[in-house]
Amino acid sequence: MLEAVKVALDPTPRQERLLEGHAGAARFAYNLMLAHIQSQLARNEKADWSMYAQRRWWNEWKNEIAPWWAEYSKEAYNSAFESLAAALKNHFASKTGRRKGRRMGWPKFKSKRHTTPRFAYTTGSFGLVEGDPKVLKLPRVGRVHCMEDIARRVGDAKVVRMSVSKHAGRWYASLTVERDAPTVPVTPKGGVGVDLGVKTLATLSDGTMAPNPRHMNNSLRRLAHAQRTLSRREQGSKRWQKAENRVRRIYAHVAAQRRDGLHKLTDWLTRTYADISIEDLNVAGMVSNHRLAQAVSDCGFAELRRQLVYKRARTGAAIHIIDRWYPSSRTCSSCGTVKAKLSLNERTYCCDACGLRIDRDLNAAINIQVAGSAPETLNARGGDIRHDRHAPAAQTPMNREPSSQNNGMRLGADLGNGVMQTTAN
């Protein structure tokens, strides 16, 4: 299995200039090749934009176009060609419908100011240095000191790729390592449903709650002060660059806090439970509400799901993604009655049919667990959970009693009733 190991670098001033030069060379090669491909298309010529075709054209003309090319590693140019080839492939695959997700536009030229400096090594003598656990070898740059013991984190894995990038004034190296699938002993407590939210980041069906730390909200005052300082500086000056770096460091600090919290939560979930069920949230639609956009973005729902999906390979936990059209919050986890409406300010779910009173998020988490544990789960109205966006909404039953089909499972039938009855009493 492939795994990423990221470490912060501590280069000398000379090495930092070389790193900047390598990133600049990669950016130059990317822009040059993109301009060449666009000129070919403008002349109605057949353009071959594969990485190997770009490399052949570069090797033919590099001495005339960039006589300084030998000052930097050839891997910097190759990483630019690889990136451009992937961008063009994604564009045409998206244009023809072969690629899912949002529409990918034509690649844009990379600017020095708005583009993250980055390049990569895929071949050659790079990676760990034997006998020095806190050093990485970068061709044409030298032995760069790391901020932690990188040899301990990599272990006996094989380093197949190393990407170098700069974020908020600090250089990082991300190593792609290849190692055997781990055999981590799992002590599962069974299945669990996870309801994600803004008020509480994660509510589990067994009653456990993970509070929302609200990292961005805690740093807003410091961020506002740094941005006011930046707005008073003359753009492009040294003082302006210093103020801009301060703003970037604050954003980077918030992102690091959020990422650390999500890693701890997802690691605990995958090591504790054998089956984890979560909802397929429409995060893009949620952030369209400008009153909730900042709070939703600060939670990192997409990152949490991404971490759960790839960490399941380490522990063997199963991840079940529940369809976004499933009314987990509006469904009673005791009798299966579905409310027509449930506003966001109603934090306690009150069932008019059976009289159940339960926390809104806990009720949704229990429903999510039942939906994830059933192979062909039917909702309380006898309709299937997945909604056909091309079919009229009236085709989905709205007001029906729970289905009596033998091959279906009524949500909330036998899960957590003891807790719910205690709450109701």
Side-chain angles (χ1 to χ4, degrees):
M1 62 179 296
L2 296 179
E3 190 176 294
V5 179
K6 191 173 183 179
V7 61
L9 301 178
D10 183 25
T12 64
R14 173 188 168 276
Q15 291 175 340
E16 192 166 1
R17 289 193 298 269
L18 289 173
L19 292 175
E20 292 280 1
H22 277 74
R27 184 176 62 250
F28 172 83
Y30 182 96
N31 293 338
L32 175 66
M33 197 56 59
L34 179 58
H36 171 64
I37 293 174
Q38 290 185 168
S39 65
Q40 286 182 312
L41 296 176
R43 297 192 301 267
N44 294 326
E45 298 179 1
K46 182 180 179 181
D48 186 1
W49 46 68
S50 65
M51 183 185 68
Y52 303 103
Q54 296 179 45
R55 187 185 300 174
R56 286 194 301 268
W57 188 89
W58 166 258
N59 290 332
E60 182 180 357
W61 296 97
K62 61 185 178 182
N63 290 327
E64 298 182 15
I65 298 176
W68 42 264
W69 69 269
E71 298 177 11
Y72 307 106
S73 173
K74 64 179 179 62
E75 291 298 300
Y77 311 107
N78 291 337
S79 62
F81 304 147
E82 181 184 11
S83 177
L84 180 57
L88 290 169
K89 180 181 178 181
N90 291 337
H91 165 70
F92 287 103
S94 177
K95 187 177 181 179
T96 56
R98 298 193 307 271
R99 186 181 190 275
K100 297 180 180 180
R102 63 183 180 89
R103 188 71 174 267
M104 301 296 294
W106 183 260
K108 298 180 180 179
F109 291 97
K110 294 186 177 182
S111 67
K112 183 177 180 180
R113 181 171 177 269
H114 296 96
T115 303
T116 301
R118 66 173 70 247
F119 61 97
Y121 295 99
T122 57
T123 60
S125 179
F126 67 91
L128 304 179
V129 177
E130 186 177 357
D132 200 339
K134 291 188 176 182
V135 165
L136 284 176
K137 182 179 180 182
L138 280 66
R140 293 301 178 95
V141 177
R143 297 157 61 105
V144 182
H145 184 261
C146 302
M147 302 298 291
E148 55 184 309
D149 192 338
I150 186 63
R152 179 182 60 83
R153 295 186 57 188
V154 174
D156 56 352
K158 177 184 177 182
V159 180
V160 297
R161 180 187 176 93
M162 181 167 60
S163 300
V164 184
S165 58
K166 185 179 182 181
H167 301 276
R170 172 171 288 185
W171 285 95
Y172 295 89
S174 180
L175 282 69
T176 303
V177 300
E178 185 178 17
R179 67 171 84 245
D180 296 333
T183 56
V184 181
V186 184
T187 56
K189 292 169 55 179
V192 68
V194 183
D195 179 69
L196 304 178
V198 175
K199 189 175 188 299
T200 303
L201 179 61
T203 302
L204 308 188
S205 57
D206 59 3
T208 306
M209 294 187 180
N212 186 2
R214 302 179 185 271
H215 298 297
M216 176 59 76
N217 189 64
N218 297 335
S219 301
L220 282 180
R221 183 175 180 181
R222 189 159 52 101
L223 179 62
H225 181 270
Q227 290 176 330
R228 283 197 301 269
T229 303
L230 176 64
S231 65
R232 299 189 182 106
R233 300 289 186 256
E234 182 180 354
Q235 187 171 359
S237 63
K238 292 291 185 180
R239 288 162 58 86
W240 179 85
Q241 294 177 0
K242 183 178 180 181
E244 186 187 35
N245 289 335
R246 183 187 177 192
V247 173
R248 291 182 176 180
R249 284 197 300 270
I250 295 175
Y251 276 117
H253 178 67
V254 173
Q257 287 181 311
R258 183 186 305 116
R259 187 167 53 250
D260 178 70
L262 293 178
H263 272 298
K264 291 177 180 177
L265 175 60
T266 54
D267 190 69
W268 176 77
L269 284 173
T270 53
R271 292 179 181 274
T272 305
Y273 300 96
D275 293 276
I276 304 172
S277 302
I278 60 173
E279 281 185 299
D280 180 22
L281 296 177
N282 182 18
V283 180
M286 297 169 67
V287 298
S288 61
N289 185 345
H290 297 292
R291 295 185 178 182
L292 297 175
Q294 186 182 84
V296 171
S297 300
D298 193 26
C299 293
F301 294 142
E303 177 65 15
L304 189 148
R305 172 177 168 177
R306 186 190 72 87
Q307 292 182 12
L308 281 177
V309 170
Y310 83 79
K311 287 183 179 181
R312 64 182 177 181
R314 301 177 179 176
T315 61
I319 308 297
H320 306 282
I321 308 299
I322 309 304
D323 193 273
R324 65 180 57 173
W325 297 102
Y326 170 52
S328 59
S329 298
R330 296 187 287 111
T331 303
C332 177
S333 55
S334 178
C335 66
T337 304
V338 181
K339 286 192 173 184
K341 292 183 179 180
L342 185 66
S343 60
L344 289 175
N345 58 1
E346 297 182 44
R347 304 313 306 173
T348 301
Y349 184 91
C350 302
C351 182
D352 300 330
C354 65
L356 173 69
R357 294 180 60 88
I358 189 174
D359 180 77
R360 172 200 180 108
D361 298 333
L362 179 59
N363 176 73
I366 295 174
N367 289 328
I368 290 172
Q369 179 185 357
V370 178
S373 60
E376 295 182 0
T377 306
L378 300 180
N379 63 20
R381 298 157 293 172
D384 32 52
I385 296 174
R386 186 171 300 277
H387 176 74
D388 185 3
R389 65 183 65 183
H390 300 294
Q395 291 186 0
T396 301
M398 294 299 296
N399 295 309
R400 288 176 52 183
E401 293 297 325
S403 174
S404 59
Q405 299 177 6
N406 295 329
N407 60 348
M409 177 180 291
R410 183 169 60 86
L411 298 184
D414 299 310
L415 180 64
N417 289 337
V419 179
M420 292 183 288
Q421 290 174 2
T422 304
T423 308
N425 295 333

